[in-house]
Amino acid sequence: MIRWLAALWLMALAAPAWADEMRPVAIQFEQVSPAEWDLGWRQPIASSGDDRSVMPQLPDTCRVSGAITRRVAPLSLSGHARIACDGPVAGKSIGWPALIGQSDAILRVAPLGRSVQVYRLTPEHPSAVIAARPSSLQVWRSYFAIGVAHILSGWDHLLFVIGLVLLVARPWPVVKAATAFTLAHSFTLAAVTLGFAGIRQDLVEALIALSIVFLAVEIARGQRDTVTQRLPWLVAFAFGLIHGFGFAGALREIGLPEGEVPAALVSFNLGVEAGQLLVICAMLTLLALVRRWRPRDEARALRFASYPVGIIGAYWLIDRLLA
């Protein structure tokens, strides 16, 4: 239990880094004419020592045909170049050669007049082979992996799920609350992706931080007669609608393959749910161990855990409001 509490306090100390980092490299390779492609990339920067000259590895039949431009932001570097290719690029490799020590990369290939292809690159597999025609299985596999990676590296969503488990602290009520949260963010994600709803992303990010602070306050109060304690699934559903806008913003940056939008949307959401269930199972197991070994300290441990959760959420809320 002591190690668990110490880990939660370390989470609070690491909050500034989690707020904006752990974002994947983004690569866009879009065809503009039979022989010309537009290459763009965004590379996260954690320190001044990061290599800023890296660019995507091109297919062996392609070359840079113009000037390479780079623009540095506080936590990222964006690059752009015009590419000339001799013949089709189907069957050729493209990737990011410097993934070791960095997060994953999302590669988006958009051939002229054909379906968009999306690949998730990892340090173990830093390149992908461009397909002549992407299969549905490729779309399902790629977007499922992207969904899992997004929830496990999206610490604001993850911290809300952790707070929800700490608030309810019992398996069956947690299952009901998590199901309500999933249904809500699935509904919003689909509505935004298909163009039926929308909201400013900066406002969404601030509301997500506020939802974390709200849960932390409810955990710290420890009262059982509040609406949140009696109907946690209702609170989870309400905040799930807001978190769905956040998921939609991430999916909008990645893009959806034409002709495979339903498959990409469903598989991304299934990936988010799979990552979410992993966290819920881990937290329930941890609470069961605390309940078994130190049952008298369970209430105190839950209340203590609410403080780092609230600190992180409050930091993000203030930071996002000021931004």
Side-chain angles (χ1 to χ4, degrees), residues 17-319:
W18 287 1
D20 294 296
E21 295 183 17
M22 297 190 72
R23 298 179 182 272
V25 175
I27 307 169
Q28 170 90 5
F29 192 50
E30 183 175 2
Q31 190 175 19
V32 294
S33 72
E36 285 189 310
W37 293 71
D38 209 43
L39 176 67
W41 66 94
R42 186 182 68 247
Q43 171 192 359
I45 297 176
S47 68
S48 58
D50 288 346
D51 188 356
R52 306 188 182 194
S53 63
V54 179
M55 65 175 291
Q57 179 183 359
L58 298 172
D60 55 15
T61 56
C62 299
R63 65 189 183 279
V64 177
S65 62
I68 300 174
T69 60
R70 291 181 172 88
R71 182 172 59 87
V72 179
L75 290 172
S76 66
L77 180 146
S78 298
H80 178 268
R82 185 56 63 94
I83 306 299
C85 295
D86 300 325
V89 297
K92 306 295 183 180
S93 295
I94 182 173
W96 187 263
L99 273 183
I100 297 177
Q102 296 190 16
S103 60
D104 296 345
I106 304 299
L107 167 65
R108 188 172 184 267
V109 180
L112 196 63
R114 298 201 303 274
S115 298
V116 173
Q117 305 173 37
V118 177
Y119 300 91
R120 175 175 173 253
L121 309 181
T122 66
E124 294 77 22
H125 300 91
S127 63
V129 177
I130 300 173
R133 181 181 179 85
S135 65
S136 295
L137 180 60
Q138 183 266 329
V139 172
W140 279 90
R141 183 174 59 249
S142 296
Y143 276 87
F144 181 85
I146 291 170
V148 173
H150 178 72
I151 188 64
L152 293 182
S153 63
W155 286 102
D156 45 7
H157 303 295
L158 205 58
L159 200 57
F160 180 87
V161 174
I162 292 173
L164 195 62
V165 177
L166 293 175
L167 175 70
V168 181
R170 293 295 184 274
W172 178 237
V174 166
V175 170
K176 291 193 293 184
T179 301
F181 180 70
T182 297
L183 289 176
H185 71 62
S186 300
F187 175 78
T188 309
L189 174 61
V192 174
T193 303
L194 299 177
F196 295 111
I199 189 173
R200 286 175 47 182
Q201 197 63 26
D202 55 351
L203 178 59
V204 170
E205 297 298 327
L207 290 174
I208 289 174
L210 181 61
S211 71
I212 297 170
V213 175
F214 177 85
L215 284 185
V217 172
E218 289 294 308
I219 298 168
R221 290 172 64 187
Q223 299 178 4
R224 295 295 172 183
D225 57 346
T226 63
V227 174
T228 304
Q229 292 286 359
R230 287 187 280 109
L231 300 172
W233 64 267
L234 183 60
V235 174
F237 185 87
F239 283 124
L241 294 174
I242 297 172
H243 282 251
F245 285 106
F247 291 132
L251 194 57
R252 189 186 303 115
E253 289 188 3
I254 297 169
L256 291 168
E258 290 88 348
E260 297 287 351
V261 171
L265 189 59
V266 172
S267 56
F268 176 82
N269 203 57
L270 288 175
V272 169
E273 178 65 10
Q276 184 176 290
L277 288 175
L278 286 175
V279 176
I280 290 173
C281 290
M283 288 300 300
L284 285 176
T285 301
L286 192 57
L287 288 175
L289 292 175
V290 173
R291 194 173 296 125
R292 179 178 178 181
W293 292 341
R294 301 294 293 271
R296 295 181 179 179
D297 293 330
E298 180 185 356
R300 186 186 307 168
L302 291 174
R303 184 168 297 180
F304 186 84
S306 69
Y307 288 99
V309 173
I311 290 171
I312 296 172
Y315 173 86
W316 284 337
L317 177 61
I318 295 172
D319 181 65

Side-chain angles (χ1 to χ4, degrees), residues 2-18 155 159 304 307-309 311-312:
I2 293 175
R3 292 180 181 177
W4 174 48
L5 296 177
L8 286 174
W9 276 113
L10 288 176
M11 286 167 57
L13 296 176
W18 287 1
W155 286 102
L159 200 57
F304 186 84
Y307 288 99
V309 173
I311 290 171
I312 296 172

